[in-house]
Amino acid sequence: MEYCNCSQCETPLTGKRYVLRQDQPTCLPCYEDKFANKCEKCEKAIGTDFKDLSYKGRHWHEACFLCWGCQNSLANQQFVAKDTGLYCPDCYDGKFAQRCDCCSNTFKHGMQKFEYSGKKFHHECFTCSECSEPIGNNSFVPKDEGKLVCMPCYNEKFAQKCAKCNEVLLQGGVTFRENAFHRECFLCTGCDTELANVKFATKDDQPYCPDCYIKTFAKICEKCDQPIAGLGQATKYVAFEGRQWHADCFICQKCEKSLLGQGFLVCEGQVVCPDCGKNM
């Protein structure tokens, strides 16, 4: 029979329980006094008759491994560490978890959270103020009083729309008479030519390309039979008894002398200078 003594106090260990530590036998009193882990809660040694529960270098008796809030056992349960304390999920949420700025309920561990303008929301609380549907990770537009509007609702109810096709203007267009148009929708009233970035004329609040405006509305010169029009600049012309002439075309129909600033006569429907009129 082999005989051995405690490596610490030399007490004979024959027939007794002991702990073999680093290949050296140690009696139970010496082990608990010198080597056993101390419990974080009761500060007593965790002897060989007790289960040693550990977390990040700290140790507890199984009976001492409790939630710091409700004092329920955390053995074989999920827990959350906060500073030096350990908490069951419910106590942690109630004591430390952030709260939704809409419903004031806590964000439980692992729960999805949305943040906007310094506020935090549950998925079901981060909603469109118009349709009440969750916005999630989709685009939205902030409105007055902190309201948020999802893009479908914004486009339907608030977005600027084209005066011609009534579709939403997603980027820069053309403004005419306080109405907005897509560039491809701003067309000549006469021929549907696109008018964006080109000169155009207006008549009765309708836009026209130069050709259509001249063709439809311009006065015709009595002499050259061409339209009297000067889009974008003043055009000099002479009007008399419902008839019009370009300034350069207002000449005596006999001698072709300019009549601008001169007296003239109308003889047999012809405009002539006084000298030619005497001979008619």
mmCIF file of all heavy atoms in Angstrom, residues 25-63:
data_model
loop_
_atom_site.group_PDB
_atom_site.id
_atom_site.type_symbol
_atom_site.label_atom_id
_atom_site.label_comp_id
_atom_site.label_asym_id
_atom_site.label_seq_id
_atom_site.Cartn_x
_atom_site.Cartn_y
_atom_site.Cartn_z
ATOM 1 N N PRO A 25 -0.258 15.822 -4.200
ATOM 2 C CA PRO A 25 -1.502 15.630 -3.443
ATOM 3 C C PRO A 25 -1.694 16.750 -2.414
ATOM 4 O O PRO A 25 -0.749 17.198 -1.765
ATOM 5 C CB PRO A 25 -1.291 14.285 -2.754
ATOM 6 C CG PRO A 25 0.192 14.160 -2.627
ATOM 7 C CD PRO A 25 0.781 14.839 -3.817
ATOM 8 N N THR A 26 -2.952 17.245 -2.331
ATOM 9 C CA THR A 26 -3.268 18.320 -1.400
ATOM 10 C C THR A 26 -4.547 17.948 -0.673
ATOM 11 O O THR A 26 -5.545 17.573 -1.301
ATOM 12 C CB THR A 26 -3.478 19.652 -2.132
ATOM 13 O OG1 THR A 26 -2.320 19.938 -2.924
ATOM 14 C CG2 THR A 26 -3.698 20.777 -1.144
ATOM 15 N N CYS A 27 -4.505 18.033 0.652
ATOM 16 C CA CYS A 27 -5.706 17.705 1.415
ATOM 17 C C CYS A 27 -6.786 18.738 1.125
ATOM 18 O O CYS A 27 -6.510 19.864 0.686
ATOM 19 C CB CYS A 27 -5.405 17.638 2.910
ATOM 20 S SG CYS A 27 -4.965 19.230 3.648
ATOM 21 N N LEU A 28 -8.042 18.387 1.380
ATOM 22 C CA LEU A 28 -9.153 19.288 1.043
ATOM 23 C C LEU A 28 -9.077 20.604 1.804
ATOM 24 O O LEU A 28 -9.304 21.673 1.211
ATOM 25 C CB LEU A 28 -10.481 18.591 1.290
ATOM 26 C CG LEU A 28 -10.757 17.343 0.434
ATOM 27 C CD1 LEU A 28 -12.170 16.826 0.678
ATOM 28 C CD2 LEU A 28 -10.555 17.639 -1.040
ATOM 29 N N PRO A 29 -8.778 20.636 3.102
ATOM 30 C CA PRO A 29 -8.683 21.919 3.806
ATOM 31 C C PRO A 29 -7.606 22.827 3.214
ATOM 32 O O PRO A 29 -7.823 24.033 3.058
ATOM 33 C CB PRO A 29 -8.362 21.516 5.247
ATOM 34 C CG PRO A 29 -8.955 20.147 5.379
ATOM 35 C CD PRO A 29 -8.720 19.490 4.070
ATOM 36 N N CYS A 30 -6.436 22.248 2.899
ATOM 37 C CA CYS A 30 -5.372 23.077 2.308
ATOM 38 C C CYS A 30 -5.765 23.565 0.923
ATOM 39 O O CYS A 30 -5.485 24.710 0.534
ATOM 40 C CB CYS A 30 -4.062 22.271 2.231
ATOM 41 S SG CYS A 30 -3.239 22.083 3.832
ATOM 42 N N TYR A 31 -6.416 22.696 0.131
ATOM 43 C CA TYR A 31 -6.820 23.100 -1.217
ATOM 44 C C TYR A 31 -7.793 24.280 -1.144
ATOM 45 O O TYR A 31 -7.629 25.275 -1.863
ATOM 46 C CB TYR A 31 -7.446 21.917 -1.957
ATOM 47 C CG TYR A 31 -7.996 22.319 -3.313
ATOM 48 C CD1 TYR A 31 -7.166 22.471 -4.412
ATOM 49 C CD2 TYR A 31 -9.367 22.585 -3.451
ATOM 50 C CE1 TYR A 31 -7.677 22.867 -5.635
ATOM 51 C CE2 TYR A 31 -9.881 22.990 -4.674
ATOM 52 C CZ TYR A 31 -9.034 23.131 -5.774
ATOM 53 O OH TYR A 31 -9.543 23.540 -6.983
ATOM 54 N N GLU A 32 -8.825 24.145 -0.281
ATOM 55 C CA GLU A 32 -9.832 25.206 -0.206
ATOM 56 C C GLU A 32 -9.234 26.483 0.373
ATOM 57 O O GLU A 32 -9.620 27.595 -0.006
ATOM 58 C CB GLU A 32 -11.006 24.738 0.639
ATOM 59 C CG GLU A 32 -11.797 23.624 -0.038
ATOM 60 C CD GLU A 32 -13.037 23.213 0.769
ATOM 61 O OE1 GLU A 32 -13.266 23.850 1.822
ATOM 62 O OE2 GLU A 32 -13.737 22.295 0.342
ATOM 63 N N ASP A 33 -8.249 26.361 1.266
ATOM 64 C CA ASP A 33 -7.663 27.537 1.889
ATOM 65 C C ASP A 33 -6.682 28.247 0.957
ATOM 66 O O ASP A 33 -6.592 29.479 0.958
ATOM 67 C CB ASP A 33 -6.947 27.113 3.177
ATOM 68 C CG ASP A 33 -6.323 28.304 3.894
ATOM 69 O OD1 ASP A 33 -7.067 29.256 4.196
ATOM 70 O OD2 ASP A 33 -5.104 28.292 4.117
ATOM 71 N N LYS A 34 -5.954 27.475 0.155
ATOM 72 C CA LYS A 34 -4.869 28.085 -0.607
ATOM 73 C C LYS A 34 -5.100 28.140 -2.123
ATOM 74 O O LYS A 34 -4.535 29.005 -2.798
ATOM 75 C CB LYS A 34 -3.568 27.318 -0.338
ATOM 76 C CG LYS A 34 -3.125 27.388 1.119
ATOM 77 C CD LYS A 34 -1.807 26.654 1.318
ATOM 78 C CE LYS A 34 -1.348 26.761 2.769
ATOM 79 N NZ LYS A 34 -0.046 26.070 2.989
ATOM 80 N N PHE A 35 -5.905 27.254 -2.649
ATOM 81 C CA PHE A 35 -5.988 27.161 -4.116
ATOM 82 C C PHE A 35 -7.388 27.304 -4.709
ATOM 83 O O PHE A 35 -7.515 27.625 -5.894
ATOM 84 C CB PHE A 35 -5.384 25.815 -4.580
ATOM 85 C CG PHE A 35 -3.974 25.611 -4.102
ATOM 86 C CD1 PHE A 35 -3.683 24.601 -3.196
ATOM 87 C CD2 PHE A 35 -2.950 26.435 -4.551
ATOM 88 C CE1 PHE A 35 -2.394 24.408 -2.758
ATOM 89 C CE2 PHE A 35 -1.644 26.234 -4.108
ATOM 90 C CZ PHE A 35 -1.354 25.226 -3.205
ATOM 91 N N ALA A 36 -8.409 27.043 -3.938
ATOM 92 C CA ALA A 36 -9.767 27.082 -4.495
ATOM 93 C C ALA A 36 -10.154 28.512 -4.891
ATOM 94 O O ALA A 36 -9.725 29.488 -4.268
ATOM 95 C CB ALA A 36 -10.761 26.524 -3.487
ATOM 96 N N ASN A 37 -10.958 28.649 -5.951
ATOM 97 C CA ASN A 37 -11.450 29.960 -6.383
ATOM 98 C C ASN A 37 -12.439 30.511 -5.369
ATOM 99 O O ASN A 37 -13.188 29.768 -4.743
ATOM 100 C CB ASN A 37 -12.143 29.855 -7.750
ATOM 101 C CG ASN A 37 -11.170 29.484 -8.860
ATOM 102 O OD1 ASN A 37 -10.084 30.050 -8.950
ATOM 103 N ND2 ASN A 37 -11.562 28.525 -9.702
ATOM 104 N N LYS A 38 -12.410 31.826 -5.206
ATOM 105 C CA LYS A 38 -13.341 32.488 -4.284
ATOM 106 C C LYS A 38 -14.595 32.914 -5.059
ATOM 107 O O LYS A 38 -14.529 33.427 -6.171
ATOM 108 C CB LYS A 38 -12.685 33.723 -3.668
ATOM 109 C CG LYS A 38 -11.535 33.402 -2.729
ATOM 110 C CD LYS A 38 -12.060 32.797 -1.429
ATOM 111 C CE LYS A 38 -10.968 32.769 -0.367
ATOM 112 N NZ LYS A 38 -9.962 31.723 -0.580
ATOM 113 N N CYS A 39 -15.739 32.713 -4.457
ATOM 114 C CA CYS A 39 -17.025 33.086 -5.069
ATOM 115 C C CYS A 39 -17.176 34.612 -5.062
ATOM 116 O O CYS A 39 -16.930 35.273 -4.048
ATOM 117 C CB CYS A 39 -18.169 32.436 -4.303
ATOM 118 S SG CYS A 39 -19.816 32.911 -4.890
ATOM 119 N N GLU A 40 -17.573 35.162 -6.201
ATOM 120 C CA GLU A 40 -17.767 36.602 -6.329
ATOM 121 C C GLU A 40 -18.878 37.120 -5.424
ATOM 122 O O GLU A 40 -18.837 38.272 -4.993
ATOM 123 C CB GLU A 40 -18.100 36.956 -7.784
ATOM 124 C CG GLU A 40 -16.944 36.860 -8.747
ATOM 125 C CD GLU A 40 -16.031 38.069 -8.660
ATOM 126 O OE1 GLU A 40 -16.526 39.166 -8.339
ATOM 127 O OE2 GLU A 40 -14.819 37.911 -8.896
ATOM 128 N N LYS A 41 -19.871 36.276 -5.148
ATOM 129 C CA LYS A 41 -21.019 36.764 -4.368
ATOM 130 C C LYS A 41 -20.801 36.601 -2.864
ATOM 131 O O LYS A 41 -20.882 37.563 -2.105
ATOM 132 C CB LYS A 41 -22.300 36.036 -4.797
ATOM 133 C CG LYS A 41 -23.538 36.506 -4.041
ATOM 134 C CD LYS A 41 -24.798 35.900 -4.608
ATOM 135 C CE LYS A 41 -26.018 36.295 -3.807
ATOM 136 N NZ LYS A 41 -26.263 37.747 -3.785
ATOM 137 N N CYS A 42 -20.513 35.378 -2.423
ATOM 138 C CA CYS A 42 -20.411 35.141 -0.972
ATOM 139 C C CYS A 42 -18.983 35.232 -0.456
ATOM 140 O O CYS A 42 -18.753 35.216 0.765
ATOM 141 C CB CYS A 42 -21.003 33.775 -0.615
ATOM 142 S SG CYS A 42 -20.037 32.366 -1.223
ATOM 143 N N GLU A 43 -18.010 35.322 -1.392
ATOM 144 C CA GLU A 43 -16.593 35.457 -1.073
ATOM 145 C C GLU A 43 -16.024 34.252 -0.330
ATOM 146 O O GLU A 43 -14.967 34.334 0.299
ATOM 147 C CB GLU A 43 -16.338 36.735 -0.263
ATOM 148 C CG GLU A 43 -16.716 37.997 -1.025
ATOM 149 C CD GLU A 43 -16.377 39.267 -0.260
ATOM 150 O OE1 GLU A 43 -16.028 39.144 0.931
ATOM 151 O OE2 GLU A 43 -16.440 40.352 -0.853
ATOM 152 N N LYS A 44 -16.712 33.129 -0.389
ATOM 153 C CA LYS A 44 -16.206 31.899 0.224
ATOM 154 C C LYS A 44 -15.558 31.039 -0.849
ATOM 155 O O LYS A 44 -15.854 31.170 -2.033
ATOM 156 C CB LYS A 44 -17.333 31.133 0.906
ATOM 157 C CG LYS A 44 -17.933 31.872 2.101
ATOM 158 C CD LYS A 44 -19.048 31.056 2.731
ATOM 159 C CE LYS A 44 -19.652 31.783 3.933
ATOM 160 N NZ LYS A 44 -20.762 31.015 4.554
ATOM 161 N N ALA A 45 -14.684 30.147 -0.396
ATOM 162 C CA ALA A 45 -14.011 29.261 -1.342
ATOM 163 C C ALA A 45 -15.021 28.327 -1.983
ATOM 164 O O ALA A 45 -15.980 27.873 -1.357
ATOM 165 C CB ALA A 45 -12.924 28.464 -0.632
ATOM 166 N N ILE A 46 -14.794 28.053 -3.264
ATOM 167 C CA ILE A 46 -15.643 27.105 -3.992
ATOM 168 C C ILE A 46 -14.951 25.758 -3.900
ATOM 169 O O ILE A 46 -14.022 25.441 -4.666
ATOM 170 C CB ILE A 46 -15.820 27.542 -5.455
ATOM 171 C CG1 ILE A 46 -16.404 28.954 -5.524
ATOM 172 C CG2 ILE A 46 -16.730 26.572 -6.199
ATOM 173 C CD1 ILE A 46 -16.483 29.518 -6.922
ATOM 174 N N GLY A 47 -15.369 24.992 -2.920
ATOM 175 C CA GLY A 47 -14.724 23.715 -2.641
ATOM 176 C C GLY A 47 -15.064 22.656 -3.654
ATOM 177 O O GLY A 47 -15.855 22.860 -4.582
ATOM 178 N N THR A 48 -14.458 21.496 -3.431
ATOM 179 C CA THR A 48 -14.633 20.397 -4.381
ATOM 180 C C THR A 48 -16.041 19.836 -4.359
ATOM 181 O O THR A 48 -16.425 19.096 -5.275
ATOM 182 C CB THR A 48 -13.632 19.281 -4.052
ATOM 183 O OG1 THR A 48 -13.810 18.856 -2.690
ATOM 184 C CG2 THR A 48 -12.201 19.762 -4.247
ATOM 185 N N ASP A 49 -16.806 20.137 -3.347
ATOM 186 C CA ASP A 49 -18.188 19.632 -3.286
ATOM 187 C C ASP A 49 -19.166 20.541 -4.032
ATOM 188 O O ASP A 49 -20.372 20.259 -4.054
ATOM 189 C CB ASP A 49 -18.638 19.499 -1.822
ATOM 190 C CG ASP A 49 -17.893 18.404 -1.088
ATOM 191 O OD1 ASP A 49 -17.467 17.455 -1.775
ATOM 192 O OD2 ASP A 49 -17.733 18.526 0.136
ATOM 193 N N PHE A 50 -18.658 21.618 -4.612
ATOM 194 C CA PHE A 50 -19.542 22.586 -5.296
ATOM 195 C C PHE A 50 -19.119 22.747 -6.758
ATOM 196 O O PHE A 50 -17.930 22.622 -7.092
ATOM 197 C CB PHE A 50 -19.489 23.954 -4.608
ATOM 198 C CG PHE A 50 -19.949 23.932 -3.184
ATOM 199 C CD1 PHE A 50 -19.034 23.778 -2.140
ATOM 200 C CD2 PHE A 50 -21.296 24.067 -2.881
ATOM 201 C CE1 PHE A 50 -19.451 23.760 -0.831
ATOM 202 C CE2 PHE A 50 -21.711 24.051 -1.562
ATOM 203 C CZ PHE A 50 -20.801 23.900 -0.528
ATOM 204 N N LYS A 51 -20.114 23.055 -7.595
ATOM 205 C CA LYS A 51 -19.824 23.340 -8.997
ATOM 206 C C LYS A 51 -19.298 24.779 -9.103
ATOM 207 O O LYS A 51 -19.854 25.694 -8.511
ATOM 208 C CB LYS A 51 -21.081 23.181 -9.850
ATOM 209 C CG LYS A 51 -20.836 23.402 -11.353
ATOM 210 C CD LYS A 51 -22.127 23.279 -12.152
ATOM 211 C CE LYS A 51 -22.598 21.834 -12.177
ATOM 212 N NZ LYS A 51 -23.742 21.661 -13.105
ATOM 213 N N ASP A 52 -18.227 24.936 -9.835
ATOM 214 C CA ASP A 52 -17.595 26.254 -10.020
ATOM 215 C C ASP A 52 -18.049 26.819 -11.370
ATOM 216 O O ASP A 52 -17.703 26.297 -12.430
ATOM 217 C CB ASP A 52 -16.075 26.091 -9.979
ATOM 218 C CG ASP A 52 -15.342 27.440 -10.053
ATOM 219 O OD1 ASP A 52 -15.928 28.424 -10.553
ATOM 220 O OD2 ASP A 52 -14.164 27.484 -9.642
ATOM 221 N N LEU A 53 -18.849 27.903 -11.344
ATOM 222 C CA LEU A 53 -19.294 28.570 -12.572
ATOM 223 C C LEU A 53 -18.425 29.813 -12.775
ATOM 224 O O LEU A 53 -18.247 30.611 -11.852
ATOM 225 C CB LEU A 53 -20.759 28.972 -12.470
ATOM 226 C CG LEU A 53 -21.754 27.821 -12.237
ATOM 227 C CD1 LEU A 53 -23.181 28.356 -12.230
ATOM 228 C CD2 LEU A 53 -21.604 26.735 -13.297
ATOM 229 N N SER A 54 -17.899 29.966 -13.968
ATOM 230 C CA SER A 54 -16.975 31.076 -14.214
ATOM 231 C C SER A 54 -17.392 31.881 -15.440
ATOM 232 O O SER A 54 -18.023 31.369 -16.373
ATOM 233 C CB SER A 54 -15.544 30.561 -14.388
ATOM 234 O OG SER A 54 -15.450 29.746 -15.550
ATOM 235 N N TYR A 55 -17.013 33.176 -15.423
ATOM 236 C CA TYR A 55 -17.255 34.072 -16.555
ATOM 237 C C TYR A 55 -16.182 35.150 -16.530
ATOM 238 O O TYR A 55 -16.075 35.909 -15.557
ATOM 239 C CB TYR A 55 -18.653 34.698 -16.468
ATOM 240 C CG TYR A 55 -18.918 35.747 -17.522
ATOM 241 C CD1 TYR A 55 -19.138 35.388 -18.850
ATOM 242 C CD2 TYR A 55 -18.944 37.102 -17.186
ATOM 243 C CE1 TYR A 55 -19.377 36.352 -19.819
ATOM 244 C CE2 TYR A 55 -19.181 38.077 -18.156
ATOM 245 C CZ TYR A 55 -19.393 37.697 -19.469
ATOM 246 O OH TYR A 55 -19.623 38.642 -20.426
ATOM 247 N N LYS A 56 -15.369 35.183 -17.598
ATOM 248 C CA LYS A 56 -14.305 36.165 -17.749
ATOM 249 C C LYS A 56 -13.429 36.280 -16.497
ATOM 250 O O LYS A 56 -13.213 37.361 -15.952
ATOM 251 C CB LYS A 56 -14.890 37.535 -18.109
ATOM 252 C CG LYS A 56 -15.461 37.571 -19.526
ATOM 253 C CD LYS A 56 -15.849 38.986 -19.956
ATOM 254 C CE LYS A 56 -16.288 38.990 -21.407
ATOM 255 N NZ LYS A 56 -16.666 40.350 -21.876
ATOM 256 N N GLY A 57 -12.940 35.122 -16.023
ATOM 257 C CA GLY A 57 -12.003 35.098 -14.907
ATOM 258 C C GLY A 57 -12.635 35.251 -13.540
ATOM 259 O O GLY A 57 -11.922 35.291 -12.529
ATOM 260 N N ARG A 58 -13.934 35.340 -13.462
ATOM 261 C CA ARG A 58 -14.645 35.463 -12.182
ATOM 262 C C ARG A 58 -15.385 34.147 -11.926
ATOM 263 O O ARG A 58 -15.800 33.455 -12.860
ATOM 264 C CB ARG A 58 -15.619 36.635 -12.216
ATOM 265 C CG ARG A 58 -14.930 37.958 -12.498
ATOM 266 C CD ARG A 58 -15.910 39.005 -12.976
ATOM 267 N NE ARG A 58 -16.865 39.374 -11.945
ATOM 268 C CZ ARG A 58 -17.995 40.040 -12.164
ATOM 269 N NH1 ARG A 58 -18.322 40.386 -13.408
ATOM 270 N NH2 ARG A 58 -18.803 40.349 -11.174
ATOM 271 N N HIS A 59 -15.598 33.834 -10.636
ATOM 272 C CA HIS A 59 -16.132 32.516 -10.275
ATOM 273 C C HIS A 59 -17.269 32.667 -9.270
ATOM 274 O O HIS A 59 -17.297 33.595 -8.443
ATOM 275 C CB HIS A 59 -15.018 31.638 -9.679
ATOM 276 C CG HIS A 59 -13.895 31.392 -10.641
ATOM 277 N ND1 HIS A 59 -13.816 30.279 -11.445
ATOM 278 C CD2 HIS A 59 -12.797 32.153 -10.942
ATOM 279 C CE1 HIS A 59 -12.725 30.354 -12.182
ATOM 280 N NE2 HIS A 59 -12.082 31.486 -11.903
ATOM 281 N N TRP A 60 -18.204 31.693 -9.339
ATOM 282 C CA TRP A 60 -19.360 31.684 -8.439
ATOM 283 C C TRP A 60 -19.709 30.252 -8.068
ATOM 284 O O TRP A 60 -19.507 29.308 -8.863
ATOM 285 C CB TRP A 60 -20.598 32.292 -9.118
ATOM 286 C CG TRP A 60 -20.563 33.755 -9.415
ATOM 287 C CD1 TRP A 60 -21.078 34.766 -8.665
ATOM 288 C CD2 TRP A 60 -19.999 34.377 -10.572
ATOM 289 N NE1 TRP A 60 -20.863 35.975 -9.268
ATOM 290 C CE2 TRP A 60 -20.203 35.779 -10.453
ATOM 291 C CE3 TRP A 60 -19.320 33.899 -11.708
ATOM 292 C CZ2 TRP A 60 -19.776 36.679 -11.403
ATOM 293 C CZ3 TRP A 60 -18.897 34.818 -12.658
ATOM 294 C CH2 TRP A 60 -19.118 36.187 -12.502
ATOM 295 N N HIS A 61 -20.259 30.086 -6.851
ATOM 296 C CA HIS A 61 -20.982 28.853 -6.556
ATOM 297 C C HIS A 61 -22.211 28.823 -7.464
ATOM 298 O O HIS A 61 -22.753 29.874 -7.840
ATOM 299 C CB HIS A 61 -21.470 28.819 -5.101
ATOM 300 C CG HIS A 61 -20.370 28.733 -4.100
ATOM 301 N ND1 HIS A 61 -19.946 29.828 -3.367
ATOM 302 C CD2 HIS A 61 -19.627 27.674 -3.683
ATOM 303 C CE1 HIS A 61 -18.982 29.462 -2.547
ATOM 304 N NE2 HIS A 61 -18.757 28.160 -2.718
ATOM 305 N N GLU A 62 -22.648 27.661 -7.821
ATOM 306 C CA GLU A 62 -23.853 27.578 -8.668
ATOM 307 C C GLU A 62 -25.033 28.274 -8.000
ATOM 308 O O GLU A 62 -25.803 28.974 -8.646
ATOM 309 C CB GLU A 62 -24.196 26.120 -8.963
ATOM 310 C CG GLU A 62 -25.394 25.966 -9.881
ATOM 311 C CD GLU A 62 -25.666 24.519 -10.248
ATOM 312 O OE1 GLU A 62 -25.081 23.611 -9.609
ATOM 313 O OE2 GLU A 62 -26.469 24.287 -11.179
ATOM 314 N N ALA A 63 -25.140 28.128 -6.678
ATOM 315 C CA ALA A 63 -26.257 28.737 -5.957
ATOM 316 C C ALA A 63 -26.110 30.261 -5.864
ATOM 317 O O ALA A 63 -27.096 30.955 -5.569
ATOM 318 C CB ALA A 63 -26.370 28.137 -4.562
#
